[in-house]
Amino acid sequence: MSSASLRPGSLVLYKIHPAIVSSVAEKIEIQLAGGKSKRVRDKDVMLLHPGPVSSLGALNAAKPAIEEAWELLEGEKVALSDLAEFLYGEYTPATAWGAWEVLQDGLYFEGGGDSIRRRSEASVREEREARESKQRAEQEWSDFLERVDRASLEDDDRKRLAEVERVALGDSEHSRILTSFDLPVTPDSAHRFLIRCGFWAAHENPWPRRAGARLEAVDTGVPDLADEPRRDLTHLEAWAIDDQGNQDPDDAISIDGDRLWVHIADVAALVRPGGHMDQAARERSANLYLPERIHTMLPEPVTHRLGLGLAEKSPALSFGFVFDGETVGEVEVVPSWVRVQRTSYDEIDTRMQEPGFTAISRITDAYRARRMDRGAARIDLPEVSVRVVDGEVVIRPLPKLSSRDMVTDAMLMAGEAAARFAQANGIAIPYAMQRTPEEIRQPQGMPEMYAYRRLFKPSRASLEPEPHFGLGLDVYARATSPLRRYADLVVHQQLRAFVTGRGPLSVDEILERTSGLDAAGATIRRAERQSNQHWKMVHLSRNPGWRGEAVVVALEERKAVVIIPELALETRVRLSPDFSLGQTLMLGVREVDVPAQNAYFRIL
């Protein structure tokens, strides 16, 4: 535009805003809304009306006759001044600006310069419908956000909130809803939000899904147990000793002279390699034990049929062996029938002086002493059982009982027996091994045990028999829990195939079936650990008056690491010059953040 066509008082368009020309020289000085002045080039502005205009506040035209103008302009092309006359009946600074706004709205007219024209009837109808739809959507969105803010959700709102749930579960990093509330798009933030708006209950446990654990039930058929030869061991007293409330009894012990028998649920009799149940168990790697429920790796009827002591006679794969003070030997592996009494550690601990348990503990005590001589360390940090019963969190400390030690070492002996049997007969199985830490200790007291445990390397599966440092064993395989661990099931399938003459799988086949076990096992452990922590936080949040003892186990730069024995909970408190390792403190709850899994304590 030539500056010659502009003069002081002209109405111009600058970018998308009206302005009044103040002066015209090498550059044009314009006045914008609010009294702000600006110097611009003539090509930066467009003349709307020659003026004169004294105030932008005067640009208020009457209501335009849009539809009449639209009808009259059929087949015509006009300039902005003409459009103003069609819309308002006159061309003034106010109607020029009004015509520009109508043109910019884009519903009825399009184009520019001297070529402004009406849009087609179909285009106008389509555009109007699109705008009405957008307006409805915006109103629905606004209403939705208001209901969320009030925690008054409708059924359809829950579908929309699925995007926030995906963030809470770690499956997404985007949420329009969280952004609308100016909240961080993080799992913790999403978790708090879903509780606040009522989508999740205050105690919702997202950690298994966030860890990637498989939670759907295994829905496959379970065949009948085959009619095959089994050794009758029902004449031996056999005890399945577990924690109270255990629902999957998969091992039991017997003594026959100097021979110890460990009977294991004969899962491989029903679950054959490569079948549907085998594939489901392989995908899950283990049972997932959550405080609120158990997610089994096999169909639940398998436990009902094979759990030891759930029927008058139980089918088992029995491991018989003797211990000469150095080696687990004379190993037998036989399909069997056993008659099992189910009981608890607490009950058996009161019966340890009975002849049968005295004979068993004499063997297991000697075995434990040998393991300790070979570097095994006893890490007796506090342990608890966390359960959710009828909505209530029940936390029960697990005491260090002689009966528990006896059963633990009997199971380790069975694992060594399985490994030695496989090694001697060239049977490919997944062994369990653990590297030696950089420093070997025999820790005493909770602080030393806490520090030493942190030096341990993770155990892992290996197809070659290698030492397991933490257990103090030259060779070991997990073999006593085929109902709840896939690695144990594979060992059973291989040993059972050998002793029944069917022929076990090759090394390559076992490698293919077990290659992902370490990673899958890590997922299970993470889900269980975080779920236990979650319910401990829920417990503390429901008991704001909680107080209890804590033991200082490590001193950091500004914090002291403490363990609360009755909760088996590790936390940190502000460091004091008076603190020392092993010191007992009395703590009270100050604040609990369930989504972040943090509890803050004050020293009493």
Side-chain angles (χ1 to χ4, degrees):
M1 174 186 297
S2 171
S3 60
S5 60
L6 298 174
R7 61 176 181 263
S10 294
L11 177 67
V12 296
L13 182 72
Y14 175 67
K15 296 185 177 177
I16 61 171
H17 304 289
I20 300 173
V21 176
S22 300
S23 64
V24 180
E26 183 179 348
K27 284 198 170 184
I28 301 167
E29 184 172 354
I30 60 175
Q31 180 182 349
L32 296 162
K36 181 180 179 181
S37 295
K38 191 173 183 68
R39 292 172 61 82
V40 299
R41 298 169 297 179
D42 59 352
K43 69 177 184 178
D44 293 332
V45 297
M46 185 181 83
L47 179 64
L48 294 178
H49 195 279
V53 181
S54 58
S55 170
L56 293 175
L59 300 181
N60 293 317
K63 183 178 179 181
I66 296 178
E67 293 193 1
E68 292 87 338
W70 177 79
E71 290 179 358
L72 291 172
L73 284 177
E74 183 176 4
E76 299 288 331
K77 293 182 179 180
V78 298
L80 184 69
S81 57
D82 299 320
L83 180 61
E85 295 224 10
F86 276 103
L87 289 169
Y88 297 99
E90 59 180 340
Y91 174 49
T92 67
T95 63
W97 175 246
W100 172 257
E101 289 187 309
V102 170
L103 178 62
Q104 287 303 106
D105 177 65
L107 176 57
Y108 287 94
F109 304 99
E110 60 187 3
D114 294 330
S115 297
I116 299 173
R117 57 193 178 277
R118 61 171 257 175
R119 300 182 70 202
S120 69
E121 183 177 355
S123 296
V124 172
R125 183 173 59 253
E126 184 178 329
E127 177 70 16
R128 184 183 288 117
E129 290 173 353
R131 291 187 183 192
E132 290 172 352
S133 176
K134 181 179 179 182
Q135 185 176 14
R136 286 194 302 272
E138 289 174 348
Q139 185 61 50
E140 289 173 1
W141 177 255
S142 176
D143 294 343
F144 162 70
L145 293 180
E146 183 180 349
R147 290 193 299 273
V148 168
D149 196 43
R150 297 197 319 265
S152 180
L153 301 181
E154 297 178 356
D155 289 342
D156 287 344
D157 297 339
R158 295 186 173 275
K159 297 176 183 177
R160 284 186 170 182
L161 284 165
E163 74 167 51
V164 183
E165 186 174 48
R166 286 192 292 271
V167 175
L169 299 178
D171 294 333
S172 173
E173 297 178 354
H174 307 283
S175 171
R176 179 187 176 196
I177 297 172
L178 291 177
T179 301
S180 297
F181 283 92
D182 294 323
L183 294 173
V185 185
T186 64
D188 289 358
S189 173
H191 187 166
R192 292 187 192 90
F193 182 82
L194 293 174
I195 292 173
R196 190 189 88 188
C197 71
F199 183 85
W200 276 359
H203 57 261
E204 178 74 24
N205 176 17
W207 296 97
R209 287 179 288 172
R210 196 181 293 182
R214 300 284 297 268
L215 302 181
E216 67 274 19
V218 181
D219 186 17
T220 63
V222 178
D224 293 331
L225 194 67
D227 184 11
E228 60 180 332
R230 291 179 176 274
R231 184 180 298 185
D232 188 353
L233 297 178
T234 57
H235 62 285
L236 298 177
E237 282 193 284
W239 300 274
I241 308 171
D242 292 295
D243 288 310
Q244 291 181 352
N246 176 274
Q247 299 300 314
D248 50 5
D250 55 2
D251 56 66
I253 53 177
S254 296
I255 187 74
D256 185 13
D258 62 352
R259 176 170 289 270
L260 188 64
W261 284 95
V262 174
H263 314 289
I264 314 296
D266 196 4
V267 183
L270 289 183
V271 183
R272 301 299 175 89
H276 293 303
M277 287 192 292
D278 181 78
Q279 183 63 33
R282 177 180 171 184
E283 291 171 351
R284 290 157 177 77
S285 87
N287 282 5
L288 176 62
Y289 289 92
L290 304 179
E292 60 269 41
R293 64 160 298 174
I294 300 171
H295 296 270
T296 60
M297 71 173 191
L298 292 166
E300 291 188 7
V302 174
T303 297
H304 300 156
R305 294 188 190 185
L306 300 180
L308 301 186
L310 299 183
E312 182 180 354
K313 287 199 311 181
S314 300
L317 191 66
S318 295
F319 295 76
F321 46 84
V322 297
F323 178 63
D324 63 7
E326 279 297 322
T327 305
V328 171
E330 300 182 31
V331 179
E332 291 183 85
V333 179
V334 295
S336 65
W337 288 110
V338 290
R339 183 173 283 109
V340 176
Q341 304 173 44
R342 297 186 64 196
T343 184
S344 68
Y345 290 113
D346 292 334
E347 179 186 344
I348 296 302
D349 212 62
T350 66
R351 301 172 55 189
M352 290 297 288
Q353 299 308 312
E354 294 180 7
F357 299 119
T358 300
I360 295 173
S361 61
R362 184 166 53 246
I363 297 171
T364 56
D365 287 350
Y367 184 73
R368 188 180 315 114
R370 188 205 71 170
R371 292 194 303 106
M372 301 297 286
D373 288 342
R374 295 187 177 184
R378 190 177 181 99
I379 307 294
D380 280 339
L381 293 174
E383 293 181 278
V384 297
S385 165
V386 184
R387 295 287 181 268
V388 178
V389 182
D390 296 329
E392 294 298 318
V393 185
V394 179
I395 301 177
R396 185 172 64 87
L398 297 178
K400 308 303 178 184
L401 302 174
S402 297
S403 57
R404 191 181 297 275
D405 286 342
M406 176 184 72
V407 172
T408 296
D409 275 280
M411 298 304 122
L412 292 177
M413 295 176 81
E416 181 178 347
R420 292 195 180 281
F421 186 87
Q423 186 179 17
N425 291 286
I427 307 168
I429 64 168
Y431 297 91
M433 58 82 63
Q434 185 183 53
R435 303 290 186 196
T436 302
E438 297 176 0
E439 182 182 346
I440 299 176
R441 307 176 187 170
Q442 284 296 336
Q444 302 296 319
M446 202 178 297
E448 288 186 16
M449 292 179 183
Y450 175 81
Y452 192 39
R453 185 183 63 178
R454 295 167 68 89
L455 297 178
F456 276 22
K457 310 291 184 183
S459 62
R460 60 181 181 83
S462 171
L463 292 184
E464 294 294 330
E466 299 181 58
H468 192 294
F469 170 78
L471 299 178
L473 298 176
D474 293 333
V475 61
Y476 174 69
R478 295 187 175 95
T480 58
S481 299
L483 273 175
R484 55 190 180 91
R485 282 196 305 247
Y486 186 67
D488 301 48
L489 174 56
V490 172
V491 171
H492 273 240
Q493 289 171 335
Q494 288 291 88
L495 299 185
R496 198 179 200 286
F498 178 83
V499 300
T500 58
R502 291 199 313 273
L505 300 178
S506 68
V507 171
D508 289 342
E509 289 172 309
I510 295 300
L511 176 62
E512 191 273 330
R513 296 178 67 213
T514 61
S515 58
L517 287 185
D518 288 336
T523 295
I524 292 291
R525 290 191 297 274
R526 183 167 61 253
E528 291 177 345
R529 182 179 66 252
Q530 292 172 332
S531 295
N532 281 332
Q533 183 79 351
H534 169 81
W535 288 106
K536 291 175 186 179
M537 295 299 103
V538 171
H539 172 74
L540 289 172
S541 70
R542 293 175 177 177
N543 294 274
W546 180 93
R547 56 177 57 196
E549 289 187 348
V551 178
V552 178
V553 295
L555 301 174
E556 299 177 344
E557 184 176 352
R558 297 179 182 176
K559 299 282 187 178
V561 181
V562 301
I563 290 179
I564 301 172
E566 72 175 76
L567 301 176
L569 177 65
E570 176 184 328
T571 188
R572 282 164 172 76
V573 297
R574 187 179 299 277
L575 186 64
S576 166
D578 300 330
F579 288 173
S580 60
L581 291 177
Q583 180 180 351
T584 298
L585 308 174
M586 183 62 71
L587 302 182
V589 173
R590 178 164 56 87
E591 181 185 351
V592 181
D593 185 346
V594 173
Q597 295 205 326
N598 285 328
Y600 304 92
F601 297 87
R602 62 182 183 277
I603 301 173
L604 303 177

